[in-house]
């Protein structure tokens, strides 16, 4: 599974323990069951331990998946001692424990899922992996509050931590490495949830722009570096007159404090008032903006919405915005621009101090957001 291998840093490492976290329903079981089926196809003995669903339910799901999952050994078990016993007896080389919250050891008091149980079970599976050599995958449910329930505590125990993210309403799922002893972090893999399970997306860098409506105000495109791969994403802004009371500020996919900063900078340095406007900003495709390089695109989207004037469809925005309204260069410009050019973009707005250019792409250097506002109005 190309995208899975990629996020793992090349593939599954024998003797390693990987935690796969994510909200219920996002597709963790589906991903790992498909993985198990692939391994079986390749002649690698696996054990899929399901404490969440009955083996029959798992089978039903397996039948729905296109892959031949029939050979995967499914065990309905929640007692750790029994899991270890079966894994040993079967000589499993990859063991999937779905989930760590339903697994318990007889050695401890306390219900499955409590912090002591979760931590102890994970530590013993870790020892098992190191001594007996199979790779172990643990499913960990993330609760609404964030952190994998209790198992946030697991991050330092295991070798690798992957988070499976996305919005259940959208088909795209993003697998992100938060820790990886065997590869780099911040790499993401992109999948699509289909009727027949998860499919690695063939061109992840272009996925998030698919279906973008051009000619609409409030939309700007930027290039993010996700690990070592550039990805283009669309940022949508909508500024609308406040009905009553305090104006709303709603940010989806970016930090609301970052949005507040950019609004203040636009107001003070760009002379664009937002005091009487509700502001909504959304990053499409369930992507999260984790780097300030997208500031300029957020700013451009806001300007475009306030003026109700669409940005050029072939323009990319790349830059960090400082409190003085200055536009700063970002890292990895060449790779981002190359990807933008590949996807048909023809001009890029970036810091006048940025170096880097790519054939086929007109570079528009801007010193500050005042200049950006001016150029976009022209
Ligand atoms: P699941 O893997 O059970 O999530 P998790 O283990 O993270 O709780 O995925 C559940 C969702 O995925 C469920 O809403 C149905 C959907 N799904 C598909 O759309 N296609 C499929 O082929 C499968 C197996 C599930
Ligand atoms: Mg599940």
């Amino acid at each position: 599974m190309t995208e899975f291998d990629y996020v793992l840093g090349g593939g599954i490492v024998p003797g390693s323990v990987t935690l796969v976290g994510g909200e219920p329903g996002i597709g963790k079981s589906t991903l790992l069951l498909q993985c198990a089926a692939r391994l079986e196809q390749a002649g690698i003995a696996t054990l899929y331990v399901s404490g969440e669903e009955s083996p029959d339910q798992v089978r039903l799901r397996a039948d729905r998946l296109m892959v031949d999952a029939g050979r995967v050994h499914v065990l309905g078990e929640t007692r750790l001692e029994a899991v270890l016993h079966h894994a040993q007896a079967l000589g499993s080389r990859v063991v999937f424990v779905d989930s760590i919250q339903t697994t318990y050891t007889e050695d401890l008091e306390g219900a499955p899922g409590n912090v002591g149980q979760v931590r102890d079970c994970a530590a013993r599976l870790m020892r098992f992996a190191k001594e007996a050599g199979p790779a172990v995958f643990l499913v960990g449910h993330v609760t609404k509050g964030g952190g994998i329930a209790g198992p946030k505590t697991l991050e330092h125990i295991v070798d690798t931590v992957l988070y499976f993210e996305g919005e259940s309403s959208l088909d795209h799922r993003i697998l992100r490495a938060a820790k990886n002893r065997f590869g780099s972090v911040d790499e993401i893999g992109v999948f699509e949830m289909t009727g027949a399970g998860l499919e690695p997306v063939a061109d992840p860098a272009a996925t998030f722009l698919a279906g973008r409506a051009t000619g609409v105000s409030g939309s700007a495109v930027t290039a993010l570096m996700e690990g070592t791969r550039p990805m283009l994403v669309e940022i949508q802004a909508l500024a609308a007159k406040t009905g009553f009371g305090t104006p709303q500020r709603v940010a989806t996919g970016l930090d609301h404090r970052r949005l507040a900063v950019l609004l203040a900078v636009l107001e003070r340095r760009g002379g664009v008032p937002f005091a009487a406007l509700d502001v909504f900003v959304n990053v499409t495709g369930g992507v999260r903006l984790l780097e300030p390089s997208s500031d300029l695109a957020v700013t451009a989207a806001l300007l475009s919405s306030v003026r109700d004037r669409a940005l050029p469809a072939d323009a990319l925005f790349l830059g960090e915005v400082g409190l003085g309204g200055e536009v700063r260069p970002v890292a990895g410009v060449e790779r981002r621009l190359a990807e933008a050019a590949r996807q048909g973009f023809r001009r890029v707005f970036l810091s006048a101090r940025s170096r880097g250019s790519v054939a086929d792409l007109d570079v528009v250097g801007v010193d500050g957001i005042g200049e950006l506002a001016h150029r976009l109005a022209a």
Side-chain angles (χ1 to χ4, degrees):
M1 299 172 78
T2 49
E3 290 292 294
F4 197 17
D5 290 341
Y6 182 76
V7 176
L8 284 171
I12 298 173
V13 178
S16 67
V17 177
T18 303
L19 176 67
V20 179
E23 287 184 7
I26 203 71
K28 302 180 294 298
S29 302
T30 306
L31 178 72
L32 294 182
L33 194 61
Q34 281 181 251
C35 177
R38 288 291 178 92
L39 289 164
E40 286 289 343
Q41 274 172 344
I44 295 169
T46 63
L47 175 63
Y48 195 98
V49 183
S50 179
E52 298 263 330
E53 294 160 281
S54 72
D56 283 344
Q57 279 174 307
V58 176
R59 288 243 161 270
L60 265 175
R61 181 200 305 257
D63 289 342
R64 279 192 51 202
L65 302 174
M66 295 283 275
V67 289
D68 173 21
R71 273 174 290 179
V72 177
H73 197 107
V74 182
L75 177 70
E77 183 60 74
T78 53
R79 197 168 56 92
L80 181 74
E81 287 76 8
V83 170
L84 295 178
H85 170 79
H86 277 91
Q88 229 145 14
L90 292 165
S92 316
R93 286 171 61 200
V94 184
V95 179
F96 300 87
V97 178
D98 188 359
S99 65
I100 191 64
Q101 276 108 343
T102 51
T103 309
Y104 74 98
T105 168
E106 291 166 336
D107 293 350
L108 285 182
E109 303 274 319
N114 83 24
V115 177
Q117 283 284 5
V118 161
R119 206 183 283 167
D120 199 62
C121 288
R124 286 185 52 192
L125 283 159
M126 185 80 177
R127 225 174 304 141
F128 173 65
K130 300 298 166 206
E131 285 167 11
V136 175
F137 284 86
L138 308 176
V139 169
H141 290 297
V142 173
T143 50
K144 276 280 171 244
I148 304 182
K152 193 75 180 164
T153 44
L154 292 185
E155 287 196 350
H156 67 280
I157 299 179
V158 300
D159 297 307
T160 301
V161 179
L162 309 179
Y163 284 100
F164 210 28
E165 302 169 347
E167 291 166 38
S168 325
S169 56
L170 295 170
D171 292 337
H172 292 124
R173 298 286 181 274
I174 299 172
L175 189 65
R176 187 183 297 276
K179 167 182 176 179
N180 193 350
R181 202 162 274 167
F182 311 107
S184 59
V185 289
D186 297 326
E187 296 292 359
I188 68 168
V190 188
F191 297 85
E192 192 176 346
M193 183 62 96
T194 71
L198 289 155
E199 296 272 356
V201 164
D203 187 1
T207 320
F208 301 111
L209 286 191
R212 175 171 72 116
T214 51
V216 179
S217 66
S219 159
V221 176
T222 191
L224 303 176
M225 289 305 290
E226 295 286 2
T228 50
R229 296 195 294 194
M231 306 236 169
L232 300 198
V233 297
E234 180 192 3
I235 293 157
Q236 294 182 327
L238 184 66
K241 233 174 105 212
T242 305
F244 57 91
T246 322
Q248 293 193 66
R249 305 283 183 249
V250 182
T252 310
L254 75 160
D255 185 13
H256 67 276
R257 283 163 303 191
R258 195 68 207 155
L259 174 60
V261 168
L262 293 175
L263 287 172
V265 171
L266 257 174
E267 183 147 345
R268 289 294 303 278
R269 313 289 178 186
V272 185
F274 283 97
L277 297 175
D278 288 337
V279 175
F280 307 92
V281 175
N282 180 27
V283 185
T284 60
V287 179
R288 282 186 298 147
L289 304 181
L290 300 172
E291 38 166 358
S293 70
S294 50
D295 287 353
L296 195 65
V298 176
T299 307
L302 287 165
L303 273 170
S304 163
S305 180
V306 167
R307 292 172 173 169
D308 195 19
R309 187 170 161 170
L311 298 168
D314 62 355
L316 184 84
F317 298 85
L318 207 55
E320 179 179 347
V321 173
L323 293 185
E326 76 279 15
V327 178
R328 302 203 185 119
V330 303
V333 172
E334 304 267 337
R335 256 181 299 169
R336 300 184 207 234
L337 295 190
E339 181 57 36
R342 185 183 76 87
Q343 291 189 40
F345 283 76
R346 286 293 160 260
R347 61 188 125 162
V348 54
F349 290 78
L350 39 66
S351 166
R353 288 186 288 134
S354 254
R355 265 162 305 167
S357 60
V358 163
D360 300 339
L361 217 53
D362 284 338
V363 174
V364 185
V366 287
D367 283 316
I369 57 159
E371 191 183 347
L372 177 75
H374 180 73
R375 281 184 179 268
L376 292 177

